[in-house]
Amino acid sequence: MAHLALYRAWRPQTFQDMVGQQHIVQTLQNAIRENRLSHAYLFNGPRGTGKTSAAKILAKAVNCEHGPAPEPCNECETCKRITEGSVMDVVEIDAASNRGVEEIRDIRDKVKYAPTEVRRKVYIIDEVHMLTTEAFNALLKTLEEPPAHVMFILATTEPHRLPPTIISRCQRFDFRRVSLPEQTARLREIAEQEGMSAEEEALTYIARLSDGGMRDAVSLLDQIASFTGGNVTLEQAVDATGGLPSEQFARLAAAIRDGDVSAVLHEIDEMMKAGKSADKCLEQLMHYFRDMLLTQLAPETAGTSGRVSDPSELRRFAADFPRERLFSIIDLLNRYQTEMKYAAHPQTMFEIALIKLCTAVGQTTSAEQPGVPASASSAPAGDVAKLQQKLAELERKLDAALQKGTGLSAAGKGQPSVGSGRGSSARDSSSAAKPVRSRVKLEPFAAAAQSPASKELLAKWPQVLQRVKEERVTVHAWLIDGEPVAWADGTALVAFKNTMHRETTDKPANKSMIEGVIGSILGEPASLATVMLKEWQDAASGTAMAEQAAGEELRLVPEDGSEPAREPLVEEALRLFGEDLVVIKDE
């Protein structure tokens, strides 16, 4: 039997055949009985839950020769022809391939004509969210005031992509996922009617894989029955769908629990030899640990929502994993699953993910504590406490030096200056609230902002972003907040609007990768410097003001031509801070 043939044979033909949608069935049947049908319906919900089937059943019910009736008879000529799709007045349109304004205008022109074969014209628009904005605008007026003989039924899996003006003109019905017991009972009925021999565990496994979609469940049963010759067992169902046996899950969980890297690599090698997909294996392993977590937190629901067929084995392993460790395992697998989509070698990513889980036994990795270096997370608690105490002492000395007005040079010669913002913050009692200024000297960059090299960097920045995205999509998410503003002395200066994005980009691993990409694009070694956008704008405007004032400076010179006398306070200030012009702006 060909794939999907079983579903076509068992596709719902009456409202009573709709599995798991009793609330919708009852509402539509009552509307037909009381002659309170709407001119437009919106059926939305997950795939395979019966939206298009319900639309066709409704079209048959309102046009049945023995109706309108709460249930179509499926025996009259009209019902049979609507089922076959040969009635010209019942039109099913796939909006994914007919999404333009011209197709909708054609509908708008034809709705004014009365039906020729049946009682009411019915337009079923599947995947309606794929229509263009112009097509929705063309549909809007017709949907608002259609002729009395026309009914529209819109079906979609993504109702949030529909304009609110369209949704407000429809009666909306939300189709829900079919529950596991309802799916299993329906699959058992189909297997008995088709003469299949199916194990109960296999049917439950198929229902879990379908994720609430009845169509997917029937299609999987059809596929597995074709693969096994009509004898559906759990082992064959797992093998036919590319899943992992529960024994392999158990061996992997034991290896991760014991930190046995060799056993993990051996199991991965066995999976790849069996033709398994690395991303699917990682996804199923994440579901396995999710089921284990549910076994700890909600034992009464774990058996009905999980994908593992041996709950007793799951409970045995759940006792060996602390709850916090299960959370960290699921989080790490989820992150690697996201990165695997862009990886050139998914198997390598899968191996690294599981090796990381093995090496994290009994400790919290730096990946689980964002912002904490790996060396700090593995350092003894005593050393960390000493470092924190020393850091606090240095901060106290720095604050005392600033309050005395001695500047940063008193804290130790050779230290880089933090900028003019520190001097003003020393006079403010709430200095902690002031943002830390950049340690990058911005004057060379401000002078080179309009140079040919800076313009070349700006022109090639989209290529840099694309290459970074290919290398590591997570770094691209942070870097895209930045804007290249200047190139000077082999260094690209990038200005950021968000402090967190800048700090994450400045991490050594991320910064090194970005520098390599910039160097390869520009054809020369490159360094990366970052600055906050507001600080850069201040520096750039200050440089422009200084250049403008340079040609207009007026000096008072005595008659004998000697240098004018300076005030003692000015002399002391020049001795402490130098003669360079500093522009101070209040934030």
Side-chain angles (χ1 to χ4, degrees):
M1 191 176 293
H3 187 53
L4 278 179
L6 193 64
Y7 175 72
R8 293 192 186 100
W10 284 86
R11 186 171 185 168
Q13 300 299 327
T14 65
F15 284 123
Q16 295 302 321
D17 295 336
M18 298 290 300
V19 180
Q21 314 299 339
Q22 287 77 12
H23 60 300
I24 296 175
V25 168
Q26 183 177 356
T27 304
L28 292 176
Q29 287 182 330
N30 290 339
I32 295 172
R33 288 191 189 98
E34 299 172 11
N35 195 23
R36 298 172 63 90
L37 287 168
S38 174
H39 64 280
Y41 292 95
L42 174 61
F43 293 168
N44 69 270
R47 70 177 192 274
T49 51
K51 300 182 293 295
T52 309
S53 296
K56 286 189 173 181
I57 295 170
L58 181 59
K60 288 190 291 185
V62 298
N63 288 311
C64 180
E65 294 177 5
H66 305 290
E71 286 285 6
C73 67
N74 287 320
E75 295 178 358
C76 65
E77 191 67 21
T78 299
C79 288
K80 291 179 181 178
R81 292 183 59 204
I82 292 177
T83 302
E84 296 168 359
S86 59
V87 175
M88 295 178 58
D89 295 319
V90 178
V91 184
E92 184 175 358
I93 301 169
D94 179 17
S97 54
N98 300 278
R99 60 195 302 262
V101 66
E102 292 302 327
E103 290 85 349
I104 301 302
R105 283 176 179 166
D106 183 59
I107 295 175
R108 188 181 62 186
D109 294 339
K110 290 179 179 178
V111 293
K112 56 187 175 183
Y113 299 113
T116 58
E117 300 180 82
V118 292
R119 195 175 294 111
R120 296 186 74 164
K121 274 190 175 183
V122 180
Y123 287 93
I124 303 171
I125 306 179
D126 200 10
E127 302 296 337
V128 69
H129 63 271
M130 297 294 291
L131 291 180
T132 62
T133 303
E134 294 78 9
F136 276 125
N137 291 335
L139 179 64
L140 186 60
K141 188 64 177 177
T142 304
L143 203 62
E144 184 177 20
E145 296 177 359
H149 58 263
V150 175
M151 177 188 293
F152 284 94
I153 305 176
L154 314 181
T156 179
T157 56
E158 302 180 42
H160 57 277
R161 293 177 58 181
L162 270 66
T165 50
I166 295 290
I167 297 176
S168 65
R169 287 161 172 80
C170 302
Q171 279 193 14
R172 176 170 173 170
F173 289 90
D174 296 323
F175 285 68
R176 63 177 180 86
R177 286 183 171 86
V178 185
S179 66
L180 187 66
E182 289 175 316
Q183 279 189 308
T184 306
R186 183 65 168 171
L187 291 176
R188 190 185 308 111
E189 178 186 353
I190 294 174
E192 291 174 356
Q193 293 292 329
E194 293 291 329
M196 300 178 189
S197 173
E199 294 181 355
E200 191 69 20
E201 294 83 0
L203 297 179
T204 304
Y205 174 78
I206 294 171
R208 285 171 177 161
L209 283 185
S210 66
D211 198 23
M214 198 65 234
R215 180 183 63 209
D216 292 351
V218 178
S219 299
L220 277 173
L221 177 63
D222 187 7
Q223 176 186 349
I224 296 168
S226 302
F227 175 73
T228 61
N231 183 25
V232 181
T233 64
L234 176 61
E235 183 179 355
Q236 291 170 327
V238 171
D239 195 21
T241 55
L244 299 179
S246 58
E247 300 82 14
Q248 200 158 20
F249 279 126
R251 292 196 297 268
L252 271 175
I256 292 172
R257 177 196 61 194
D258 301 335
D260 191 345
V261 177
S262 299
V264 163
L265 293 178
H266 174 73
E267 291 298 332
I268 294 176
D269 187 52
E270 291 295 323
M271 294 176 195
M272 298 304 110
K273 287 180 181 178
K276 308 295 183 184
S277 169
D279 56 341
K280 287 296 181 184
C281 290
L282 189 144
E283 179 186 357
Q284 293 178 53
L285 188 62
M286 183 170 64
H287 278 290
Y288 180 84
F289 282 105
R290 173 258 188 195
D291 295 344
M292 193 181 297
L293 181 64
L294 282 183
T295 302
Q296 288 189 1
L297 300 177
E300 66 281 355
T301 62
T304 59
S305 59
R307 295 191 179 190
V308 179
S309 58
D310 191 353
S312 60
E313 183 180 80
L314 199 63
R315 286 193 294 270
R316 179 170 59 85
F317 275 106
D320 298 333
F321 285 88
R323 185 177 305 173
E324 293 76 13
R325 176 145 172 74
L326 287 177
F327 278 117
S328 64
I329 288 174
I330 295 170
D331 180 61
L332 186 141
L333 292 177
N334 181 58
R335 286 190 285 110
Y336 271 89
Q337 186 185 22
T338 303
E339 294 186 9
M340 193 179 287
K341 297 176 183 176
Y342 308 96
H345 303 285
Q347 180 181 343
T348 304
M349 297 292 292
F350 185 35
E351 292 171 347
I352 291 174
L354 296 196
I355 291 173
K356 206 164 189 178
L357 291 179
C358 291
T359 55
V361 174
Q363 63 180 0
T364 303
T365 63
S366 61
E368 296 165 11
Q369 294 182 359
V372 179
S375 58
S377 64
S378 59
D383 293 345
V384 174
K386 290 178 181 178
L387 287 173
Q388 291 176 341
Q389 183 178 1
K390 190 173 183 180
L391 180 60
E393 184 179 350
L394 288 174
E395 288 178 345
R396 284 195 298 272
K397 289 182 179 179
L398 179 61
D399 289 340
L402 290 173
Q403 290 173 2
K404 291 178 181 178
T406 58
L408 286 176
S409 57
K413 292 187 177 182
Q415 298 294 329
S417 69
V418 181
S420 59
R422 279 293 184 188
S424 59
S425 64
R427 293 186 295 271
D428 190 88
S429 60
S430 58
S431 60
K434 293 286 184 181
V436 179
R437 306 291 286 179
S438 171
R439 297 190 178 188
V440 179
K441 291 185 178 181
L442 299 179
E443 290 79 7
F445 292 102
Q450 300 300 323
S451 66
S454 298
K455 293 180 180 178
E456 182 185 5
L457 173 66
L458 184 61
K460 293 185 176 181
W461 191 248
Q463 301 178 35
V464 174
L465 290 176
Q466 181 61 31
R467 186 77 63 83
V468 169
K469 185 176 182 180
E470 294 171 358
E471 292 279 342
R472 197 176 304 163
V473 68
T474 51
V475 178
H476 172 267
W478 304 112
L479 183 61
I480 199 172
D481 179 67
E483 174 188 348
V485 292
W487 171 272
D489 300 328
T491 302
L493 181 66
V494 179
F496 285 83
K497 302 175 185 176
N498 186 286
T499 305
M500 183 177 66
H501 292 177
R502 176 193 174 191
E503 292 175 351
T504 309
T505 304
D506 257 342
K507 289 183 178 180
N510 299 342
K511 185 177 180 181
S512 176
M513 189 268 287
I514 297 171
E515 289 175 342
V517 170
I518 296 176
S520 64
I521 296 292
L522 298 181
E524 59 178 294
S527 299
L528 176 67
T530 61
V531 68
M532 296 306 296
L533 183 59
K534 181 68 167 62
E535 187 178 352
W536 163 252
Q537 291 171 345
D538 292 346
S541 61
T543 301
M545 291 172 60
E547 291 176 352
Q548 182 179 0
E552 303 175 359
E553 183 178 4
L554 297 177
R555 302 181 65 195
L556 298 175
V557 182
E559 294 180 356
D560 58 0
S562 62
E563 288 292 324
R566 289 171 171 166
E567 292 291 333
L569 289 176
V570 175
E571 290 287 346
E572 181 65 11
L574 291 174
R575 186 184 69 80
L576 288 174
F577 303 105
E579 296 184 356
D580 292 337
L581 176 65
V582 178
V583 178
I584 300 176
K585 288 190 175 184
D586 291 331
E587 295 292 333

